[in-house]
Amino acid sequence: MSGDIEGIGAAVTAGLAARAVESAHGGAAHGQAPPRCLNCGTSLAGSHCHHCGQRADVHRSFGAIGHDLVHAIFHFEGKIWNTLPLLAWRPGDLTRRYIHGERVRFISPLALFLFAVFLTYAILAMIGSGGEFGTALSKAADEQTRTTAVKDSIQMEVDRIDGELARADLAEERRRALEAERDVLQQSATYLGVARARSRSERAADRAAGPPVLDDPRDQVATSADFISRNKIDTGVPFIDNGLKKAFANPALVLYKLQANAYKFAWALIPLSLPFMWLLFPFSRRFHAYDHFVFVTYSISFMLLLFVVVRLLNLTIFGEVATFLAMLYVPFHMYRQLRGAYRSSRFGAFVRANLLLFFSLFTVIWFMLLLLALGISG
């Protein structure tokens, strides 16, 4: 029996060797070498390389540019139509399926996040952030910047006059002219609504006395802020001191830096959120950091895309309705994603969704503090 098996094996080996020799002779007779992948050099056995995935048929014509462009758009578009409906309505299923290995069908969390950040930046660059708060903040910053510039110019002129008045050999006629000029500057400061120009001796007395204690706390806050803006800020931390000086000197520039840094450092929302996701499932061995990463990245991507949609709808008559519905849908979306991704019970998902709302607010606060630190230090 073993002799028959060995005979069959020898015959098969001989047949394969003869076929290989025949193929080699046939290829050599026709002057053709076996095709290889132009990217990695692997022998090809189809339309794509089984080693690196590159197509065997490559183009170097002008029409290939359009072909590559159309292929890339429709390939991405196909993934979008598989991803966005699930992201909008069944985010938990999308998160769980991606974690468990269904990844070719969907856009990866990071790719979707980068796309959402880019789209948000593009939309806001074209139509602005909108909102009464943002508009009022920008106007207030511009107004404060203009007021500070006028105040500084008046103060510089008053300092020049004080220096000249301090001269002992100053003629009496010149002294009266300088005092009249100073009175005009003080009237101009009052008319423009800026603080009255103070002499050097008055400013020295203010610094020694500190901010006055007033009966009304609101007046006290306003007076303290004016005292800080008028005097050297010294908290003992150079980073904070320099940042506050820049913020008081040019609040419009600080606001611009905050907006610019929001796009550059949007990725920081992901690591800031991961510890809070761990707190929702402490000491659980079923879920890992990667699972929380996919959850957070998909969730933030959806929030950015929802913001873009609402911002566009704000340009229409449905703006207020869209904003109201979006505010209602955000916690519901978190609930569905938690319930579907982690297979939580209804009660467990509801409790964790409320905690996640609180954690999200805390994360946004930390993110804004980070942007503020980067804005005033840049």
Side-chain angles (χ1 to χ4, degrees):
M1 182 67 177
S2 61
D4 293 340
I5 294 176
E6 292 178 357
I8 294 173
V12 172
T13 302
L16 292 175
R19 183 174 299 176
V21 171
E22 180 181 356
S23 175
H25 282 291
H30 291 86
Q32 296 177 352
R36 293 182 177 275
C37 175
L38 298 178
N39 182 58
C40 64
T42 304
S43 297
L44 295 174
S47 60
H48 290 75
C49 175
H50 69 277
H51 181 70
C52 68
Q54 178 169 293
R55 289 181 58 89
D57 186 15
V58 296
H59 304 280
R60 296 180 62 182
S61 62
F62 183 77
I65 300 176
H67 175 271
D68 292 341
L69 178 62
V70 172
H71 179 269
I73 292 175
F74 281 98
H75 182 66
F76 189 63
E77 181 181 348
K79 287 190 174 184
I80 278 187
W81 289 119
N82 290 333
T83 306
L84 289 187
L86 289 178
L87 180 66
W89 186 244
R90 297 170 60 187
D93 291 346
L94 171 65
T95 305
R96 187 183 68 256
R97 289 168 65 178
Y98 189 89
I99 291 173
H100 290 172
E102 292 186 48
R103 302 181 181 179
V104 176
R105 292 168 52 91
F106 308 116
I107 302 175
S108 68
L110 270 181
L112 186 61
F113 174 76
L114 294 175
F115 172 75
V117 170
F118 170 77
L119 183 62
T120 304
Y121 175 79
I123 294 298
L124 295 185
M126 288 188 296
I127 63 178
S129 58
E132 295 181 359
F133 177 76
T135 303
L137 186 61
S138 299
K139 290 182 177 179
D142 293 340
E143 184 64 27
Q144 184 177 353
T145 301
R146 289 191 297 268
T147 302
T148 303
V150 173
K151 181 179 178 181
D152 290 343
S153 63
I154 292 176
Q155 194 63 63
M156 289 176 60
E157 187 64 18
V158 170
D159 288 341
R160 184 191 65 80
I161 295 175
D162 286 341
E164 194 168 352
L165 287 173
R167 291 169 49 188
D169 59 343
L170 186 64
E172 186 63 26
E173 183 179 355
R174 177 61 178 169
R175 184 181 298 276
R176 287 196 298 269
L178 291 175
E179 290 175 350
E181 184 177 355
R182 177 170 174 165
D183 292 339
V184 172
L185 289 174
Q186 291 178 350
Q187 292 175 3
S188 300
T190 303
Y191 175 77
L192 294 174
V194 299
R196 183 180 67 85
R198 288 174 295 275
S199 65
R200 292 179 180 177
S201 59
E202 290 174 327
R203 293 201 303 274
D206 288 343
R207 284 193 294 269
V213 178
L214 304 179
D215 295 333
D216 193 340
R218 292 173 296 181
D219 295 339
Q220 177 65 34
V221 171
T223 306
S224 300
D226 182 64
F227 172 78
I228 293 175
S229 65
R230 289 189 284 106
N231 297 275
K232 181 180 179 180
I233 302 170
D234 188 9
T235 63
V237 182
F239 172 77
I240 297 178
D241 293 343
N242 295 332
L244 290 176
K245 288 179 183 177
K246 294 179 181 179
F248 283 125
N250 196 344
L253 179 60
V254 173
L255 178 62
Y256 169 78
K257 288 184 176 181
L258 288 178
Q259 294 174 343
N261 287 329
Y263 307 118
K264 296 178 183 178
F265 296 95
W267 55 267
L269 287 169
I270 299 175
L272 288 175
S273 303
L274 289 179
F276 298 112
M277 291 304 302
W278 181 86
L279 289 176
L280 294 179
F281 302 92
F283 309 109
S284 176
R285 296 185 177 182
R286 293 189 302 154
F287 311 115
H288 306 282
Y290 181 81
D291 305 342
H292 300 323
F293 169 81
V294 174
F295 180 96
V296 166
T297 310
Y298 271 140
S299 180
I300 296 175
S301 301
F302 172 78
M303 299 305 168
L304 290 174
L305 294 176
L306 180 64
F307 172 78
V308 169
V309 173
V310 172
R311 182 66 190 100
L312 292 175
L313 289 176
N314 283 337
L315 302 177
T316 67
I317 59 175
F318 305 103
E320 294 183 359
V321 176
T323 302
F324 176 73
L325 293 178
M327 293 176 62
L328 292 179
Y329 189 66
V330 165
F332 180 69
H333 185 272
M334 291 181 177
Y335 166 81
R336 286 183 64 86
Q337 188 173 8
L338 283 167
R339 179 164 166 74
Y342 296 102
R343 295 295 191 181
S344 301
S345 63
R346 288 188 176 89
F347 178 76
F350 176 78
V351 173
R352 290 188 175 96
N354 284 278
L355 290 174
L356 186 58
L357 279 173
F358 173 76
F359 291 157
S360 300
L361 179 62
F362 199 74
T363 301
V364 171
I365 293 175
W366 274 104
F367 181 66
M368 294 302 297
L369 291 176
L370 173 64
L371 294 183
L372 181 60
L374 293 170
I376 65 178
S377 64

